[in-house]
Each structure stands twice: as C-alpha cells, then as structure tokens.
Amino acid sequence: MKRESIDQKYLWDLTDLFVSDEAWETALTELKEASKAFQLYKGRLLESRETLRSALETYENLSRKLMNLVTYARLKMDENTKESKYQGMVSRSEKLATEIQKENAFFIPELLEGDEKTIEALLNHEDLSHYKKYFSDLLRKKPHILSEEMESVLARVGELGDAPSNAYGMLLNADMTFEEAVDAQGEGHALTNGSYVPLLMSKDRSLRKDAFEKYYKVYEGHINTLSSLLQSEVNKNIFFSKMRNFSSAREAALFENNIPVTVPDRLIEAVNNNLESFYKYMELRKKVLGLDELHLYDIYTPIVSGVDFPITYDEAGTMVTDALAPLGKEYQEGIRSAFSQRWIDVYETEGKRSGAYSAGTYDSRPYVLLNHKDDMNSMFTLAHELGHSMHSYLTRQNQPYVYGNYSIFVAEVASTTNEALLNDYLLKTVEDKEKRKYILNHYLEQFRGTIFRQTMFAEFERDIHQRVEQGGALTNEFLCDHYLKLNKKYFGPDVVIDDQIKYEWSRIPHMYYNFYVYQYATGFSAAIALSDQILKEGKPAVDRFLEFLSSGSSDYPIDILRKAGADMETKDPVSNAMKVFKEGVEELEKLMS
C-alpha cells in the first residue's frame, strides 16, 4: 500500500515538531551554533545563582532542541526506511548529538566539583528549588563520575563499545541465510529471523519442526563467532562498571535509576517458586494439541484457533477507549485526543518500519507507530502503545523538563495496565465461549512471553556476567550448556527440551541491552498488581495510578511504583501476578473441557 493512498486521519501529524524538512534543516544549523555558545559557561557554573540558572536553562534548551531534531528524523525515516534522505537526516542529527556530548563533557564534572553547601544555598532560591532532586541525584552519582578528561575519553570509547552489538546485528540481519522450511506437503517456506516465529505458529507440525531444526542449524554454524561477540559485550559492561567504581556490571546498570540489585533477584526467586503453574499450562497445551510429546517447536502454535474475531481499527479504538473507563473520564479524553489529533500512524505502507512503538519529545504530542491488522492482536497493540503515550502525555503536562521523562524500569507498567484492563473488559462483555477461550489464551501467552521467558533471559544474563566477574570464560560450551539447563528448569517435565534450543541465547538481541530484560517482567508484574487494585478498589487506586503516570522522574522509579501500590523490593507483585496466571490457567482448563 502506498502512503499517499492512506486517508490523512490515519497518518500521524508531525508538524508540532517541524512544519517541514526545510524547517528541520534550519533548526539543525541553528543548534550547531547555539551549542558552541554553551562553552561560555565553562568554569563559571557555580559563580552565582543567576549564572547557574542561566546555564541549566541553556543546557535544557539545547537538549530539547536536539531531541526534536533526532526524533523528527527517526519518525520520518520510519515512514519509509528505503528513503535515503531521512537516513541521512538521522545520521547527521545523531552525529551532532555526539559532538554536543563531547563539547559539554565539562558540565556534570564541574557541577560536582562544587562544594555541597554552596550548591544547597543556591538551590534554596525559589527559581532553582525544583532542581533539588536533580542535584541530589547528581551527588549520589558523584563517586562514579570521573574527571572532565576521563569523561571525554569514555565518551569516545563508548563509540567503540558499540562494536559487539553492531557486528551482532550485521551478522543476524545481513549475513545469515537459512534453508527453506518444508511443510507436510513438501512445499517450501522462506525461513528468516522475521518469519521464524510465525512459522512456529503454524498448525503444520512438520513445518514447525523443520523450521526449528533448520533455523538453529545456522546459529550452530556461527556459534564460535556469536560466543565471542557476547563475551566482548559482557567484557565491555564489566570494563565500564570498573571504570566507574562499581562492584559489578549489574550494579552499574541498575544504579542509574537507583534500583536495588535485589530487585531482579526477587523476580527470579518469585518466578522460580511458581513454576508449577507454568508446568500446568504446558501440560494443558500438550493435552489440547493431542500430542504424545510436547516439543519446544510446539509452544507457539495457538491452542485456541479457528476463531473468527475481526476488529477494524475504528472498532478497536472504540473498544479500547471503553475498556479504559475505570481510569476515569479525563484519561479517556486523553485517549480520544490520540485519535482526533493524529498521534497515530496506523497502517502498513511500502517501506514502513515494522512493529509498533510510542515516541515523541517534551515539546511534541506522543506519537504511535502501528502496522495495524484488523484483528485482536492489533487491538491489544493499540491499547499497549496508547498506555506508553498517555504516560508520556501526563508526565509532560505535570512535570518540568528536567523530570519530563520516565525510566525504562516503569516504562512497561502503563502499557500493560491498559492491556490488562482491555482483557478484563473483553471477558466481561464477550459471551461467545470460543472467543472467550481465545481472549484468555492470548492473555496467558503474554505471561509466558513476558514473565517466564524474560525472567529466564534475566537469569541467564545475571549468570554469565557473574561468571566472567569471577574469572571464568564464556565459551560456547558453557553458554549453550547453561542455557539448556535453564530451559529444562523453566519448562518442566511435560516439555521435551530439544537439544537445538541451547543455541537460542545467540538469537536474542536483548543480551546486548545491558541488564534490560528483567524490566519487562517486573513491569508486567507491577501492571497486573495495579490493574487488579484499580478494578477492586476503584477511585483510591485510580488516583494513585494517575499520580504515578504524572510523576515522570521527579522521584526514583522504585519509590514511584511503591506509592502507586507495587513494591518491587518485595516478591509480592510478582507472586500476585503468578496467582493471576494460575487462576487463568484453571479457567482456560475449564473452558477447554
């Protein structure tokens, strides 16, 4: 489908970023000049209240303008990834970002060189008082921030640190080729990194098995290179953690958002303590599929299929809006704004980036990229991305720029809460038994993919970093053997753990995200806890949730979530999510009988 053929109401409106590409070019030139002027503050940041205020405001202004430039270029490129013009604009804006970072490397170290009493006195003035949390956080980081010269060196080394991830991406996306997967009728199907999971969802078991075996055969053939790349990535994480005086790579990664290192451990412990309910789900899958043996190539194919559940985009918008009624009229009005003010780029078009996301800047509306199909999965994707967008929208309405964003640790909470409320709405309004089974199975699959799978990844990531920090090496034998053991533990006795799965770690790009994956599971668990409170408590829980959405980074994420009703330093939210999962499995089992 050509983009030009789409009704304008289904295309996002980027004019609050830039009215044209020419306006973007002008802003890029102006920012280059403005960034040089910031050097005038060097050595003077704490000389007076006026100078400090001016420097902070100028620094923020540079950051805001830069984010507008980068975001506009990326969004335009994602409209058509084949368009070289926007590829160039992305490259130029990101290069400018690197230059500004290098030029302004003095800023944070100079602030931290100041006497704490002097800083405190300056912040006591009304026009600077809202920076108190910002400076408190800076001072917390002081032991881990280096001299201006060393910060500049690390900024340059950081570019080299991207090499393992970049090489990994090129190997997967450009160099790997796969044999066709053959179905039961002998017909070939293109096998790629993108088609692999869809093929595993096929009803044709011969096709699933052939795709599984041929897919991992290619990874096996590259396993020495893939092991070396992951070893380099782990070494990089450990190097930067040591340079910044942390005791471990995990402590360094979690320190930025002040997340206790016990949080991912609590997650892993809570999930490990509740694997029996997951085993029961696998047992139900085996029974429903009528298999003597349930293999790992059988876990993606739907156990509820053949359900006709067409939902147009406009219908999905109405249903999502109605489903979010428990969050109040103002929240619903925000959702309606997403449709009326063209936050959303709806349909797949030629060259458009795949998938879905929510993006934007402090100065723009939130933007949502979709590739909508008229089905239930797309409706849940819409609800999910609107959750992100409303989180951004309410944060920017209620927080100054310095706190106008939120951490990755809480990023999935709003989106998953929306999905949980949509799931509840559907189960309360849909009477057809087959559709109810379909909805419930969809919900349980989210648990499988988000809590159980991501926690297994988090456990693997924790273990491989600890091994290197304790003097061990990440040989391909260790990586494969350890990953195989984790699969056996997580899937339990009713699943045949095919030997090829030991190579799966090498196809997971999140292993290059530096302790990122656990946050999918903690965020999902928190969302299940909060949505449960919203539905049972009503207004008190809603008020806490809206306060959470409006808080941005004005407090640490662990504290913001605790105030909302989910204390992630305990096992309670994860254990509660496990209880909800168990009840869902039992309900689906009854519906299937």
Side-chain angles (χ1 to χ4, degrees):
M1 186 185 298
K2 297 283 187 181
R3 188 170 183 83
E4 295 75 21
S5 67
I6 303 290
D7 189 318
Q8 193 175 54
K9 70 178 182 179
Y10 299 121
L11 302 175
W12 55 25
D13 177 9
L14 304 183
T15 55
D16 58 345
L17 280 170
F18 295 99
V19 296
S20 66
D21 295 350
E22 290 72 24
W24 184 93
E25 293 287 354
T26 300
L28 183 77
T29 302
E30 291 175 348
L31 185 59
K32 286 180 180 179
E33 294 303 314
S35 66
K36 295 175 184 176
F38 190 72
Q39 295 292 310
L40 296 173
Y41 291 103
K42 189 173 183 178
R44 303 174 49 232
L45 292 177
L46 299 176
E47 68 179 16
S48 69
R49 175 173 60 89
E50 291 77 13
T51 302
L52 178 59
R53 185 185 67 230
S54 178
L56 287 168
E57 290 175 351
T58 303
Y59 190 76
E60 287 183 359
N61 194 38
L62 289 174
S63 176
R64 288 172 74 163
K65 289 182 176 180
L66 179 62
M67 285 307 300
N68 290 339
L69 285 164
V70 173
T71 301
Y72 179 83
R74 286 176 176 169
L75 296 179
K76 292 298 288 184
M77 183 179 72
D78 288 349
E79 290 179 3
N80 186 354
T81 58
K82 299 177 182 178
E83 177 56 69
S84 59
K85 174 184 178 180
Y86 295 114
Q87 294 173 12
M89 287 169 65
V90 169
S91 178
R92 288 158 60 204
S93 61
E94 291 181 344
K95 181 179 179 181
L96 177 59
T98 301
E99 291 171 358
I100 290 176
Q101 182 185 12
K102 291 174 183 175
E103 289 172 355
N104 299 335
F106 73 90
F107 184 67
I108 300 300
E110 186 175 322
L111 288 177
L112 292 176
E113 285 173 5
D115 179 72
E116 290 187 27
K117 291 184 178 179
T118 300
I119 294 174
E120 185 178 347
L122 291 171
L123 296 180
N124 277 333
H125 293 274
E126 185 177 350
D127 56 353
L128 286 173
S129 60
H130 70 282
Y131 286 103
K132 285 184 178 180
K133 191 265 180 180
Y134 173 77
F135 273 89
S136 174
D137 201 30
L138 278 183
L139 293 172
R140 182 181 68 88
K141 298 172 182 176
K142 190 171 183 176
H144 309 288
I145 294 177
L146 311 179
S147 66
E148 178 187 345
E149 181 181 6
M150 285 302 299
E151 286 293 335
S152 180
V153 169
L154 284 188
R156 295 175 184 276
V157 172
E159 297 177 35
L160 299 177
D162 292 335
S165 177
N166 291 339
Y168 173 79
M170 291 300 294
L171 179 60
L172 261 65
N173 298 317
D175 296 342
M176 281 190 174
T177 57
F178 304 84
E179 290 183 61
E180 281 191 334
V182 179
D183 62 24
Q185 285 71 45
E187 183 178 345
H189 299 257
L191 177 61
T192 65
N193 283 308
S195 70
Y196 171 64
V197 171
L199 288 173
L200 288 193
M201 296 175 72
S202 170
K203 295 179 182 179
D204 186 332
R205 197 175 190 220
S206 296
L207 177 59
R208 299 199 303 265
K209 183 175 186 292
D210 198 53
F212 180 85
E213 292 175 349
K214 286 178 176 175
Y215 186 73
Y216 285 116
K217 182 180 180 181
V218 173
Y219 280 88
E220 180 184 7
H222 292 280
I223 201 63
N224 290 314
T225 300
L226 290 162
S227 299
S228 178
L229 288 174
L230 188 57
Q231 170 88 55
S232 298
E233 178 70 13
V234 171
N235 287 342
K236 177 200 76 175
N237 295 339
I238 294 171
F239 166 77
F240 280 105
S241 70
K242 288 181 177 178
M243 288 297 296
R244 294 200 177 278
N245 305 310
F246 289 101
S247 62
S248 70
R250 185 169 66 159
E251 182 192 12
L254 272 60
F255 181 83
E256 176 64 27
N257 292 312
N258 203 24
I259 306 297
V261 293
T262 55
V263 169
D265 287 333
R266 293 284 179 273
L267 166 72
I268 293 168
E269 184 181 351
V271 172
N272 275 225
N273 288 342
N274 288 276
L275 287 173
E276 285 297 328
S277 60
F278 188 58
Y279 298 164
K280 188 173 182 179
Y281 182 49
M282 291 296 105
E283 182 183 1
L284 177 61
R285 169 173 283 274
K286 178 181 176 181
K287 178 181 176 182
V288 172
L289 292 176
L291 299 174
D292 294 329
E293 291 185 338
L294 183 71
H295 286 255
L296 287 170
Y297 47 78
D298 297 319
I299 63 172
Y300 285 94
T301 188
I303 60 174
V304 181
S305 59
V307 178
D308 188 22
F309 207 151
I311 304 166
T312 68
Y313 173 73
D314 292 321
E315 289 170 341
T318 299
M319 293 176 75
V320 168
T321 305
D322 290 345
L324 299 176
L327 295 177
K329 292 182 179 179
E330 289 188 16
Y331 189 91
Q332 282 183 301
E333 283 305 309
I335 294 293
R336 291 188 181 99
S337 296
F339 300 105
S340 63
Q341 297 177 11
R342 294 173 53 200
W343 296 6
I344 309 169
D345 204 79
V346 179
Y347 295 111
E348 182 177 4
T349 54
E350 187 176 318
K352 184 178 177 180
R353 173 181 162 157
S354 62
Y357 63 69
S358 174
T361 73
Y362 189 83
D363 299 302
S364 78
R365 68 197 72 184
Y367 291 109
V368 175
L369 180 138
L370 300 176
N371 283 273
H372 187 85
K373 311 291 184 193
D374 289 343
D375 56 31
M376 193 183 73
N377 285 337
S378 287
M379 178 170 65
F380 271 93
T381 298
L382 174 63
H384 182 99
E385 299 306 334
L386 284 175
H388 286 307
S389 291
M390 286 301 296
H391 195 176
S392 300
Y393 181 71
L394 290 172
T395 286
R396 291 162 190 166
Q397 279 193 329
N398 291 279
Q399 296 298 330
Y401 179 77
V402 67
Y403 308 127
N405 216 326
Y406 46 84
S407 79
I408 294 296
F409 185 74
V410 299
E412 295 301 319
V413 175
S415 55
T416 306
T417 298
N418 271 15
E419 289 195 72
L421 294 175
L422 175 59
N423 183 78
D424 180 78
Y425 171 82
L426 292 173
L427 288 175
K428 287 176 178 175
T429 57
V430 174
E431 297 181 358
D432 181 90
K433 183 179 179 180
E434 291 305 308
K435 289 183 178 179
R436 289 177 62 79
K437 288 194 292 187
Y438 187 80
I439 294 164
L440 189 54
N441 185 230
H442 177 273
Y443 193 43
L444 295 177
E445 280 297 291
Q446 288 181 301
F447 279 85
R448 181 188 66 78
T450 308
I451 292 191
F452 294 103
R453 183 169 171 80
Q454 301 300 329
T455 301
M456 184 177 73
F457 291 165
E459 188 168 350
F460 180 73
E461 186 177 26
R462 179 195 67 181
D463 294 350
I464 62 176
H465 280 80
Q466 286 180 350
R467 179 176 174 83
V468 176
E469 287 167 339
Q470 293 168 4
L474 298 183
T475 63
N476 61 38
E477 290 84 1
F478 171 80
L479 290 167
C480 293
D481 289 347
H482 191 61
Y483 193 79
L484 190 64
K485 289 177 184 176
L486 288 176
N487 271 270
K488 290 178 180 178
K489 178 173 72 171
Y490 274 78
F491 281 99
D494 282 290
V495 181
V496 176
I497 306 302
D498 306 275
D499 190 63
Q500 293 94 332
I501 203 64
K502 68 185 180 184
Y503 303 114
E504 187 186 40
W505 63 265
S506 66
R507 67 169 285 258
I508 309 301
H510 293 78
M511 296 303 165
Y512 293 80
Y513 288 15
N514 193 17
F515 292 97
Y516 183 99
V517 290
Y518 83 95
Q519 297 168 114
Y520 287 120
T522 53
F524 189 96
S525 301
I528 297 303
L530 297 181
S531 60
D532 190 51
Q533 292 168 23
I534 288 165
L535 291 167
K536 290 178 179 176
E537 295 179 30
K539 191 175 186 305
V542 171
D543 290 344
R544 293 195 304 269
F545 185 70
L546 295 179
E547 181 65 25
F548 158 71
L549 296 183
S550 302
S551 296
S553 57
S554 61
D555 202 348
Y556 293 115
I558 199 83
D559 298 316
I560 291 172
L561 264 185
R562 186 182 293 113
K563 293 173 190 174
D567 186 353
M568 302 311 298
E569 288 193 81
T570 72
K571 291 185 288 185
D572 293 346
V574 182
S575 297
N576 179 71
M578 295 293 93
K579 181 182 177 183
V580 172
F581 176 78
K582 180 181 179 182
E583 291 170 351
V585 173
E586 291 171 351
E587 184 177 351
L588 182 60
E589 192 171 26
K590 290 177 183 176
L591 288 171
M592 289 292 194
S593 61

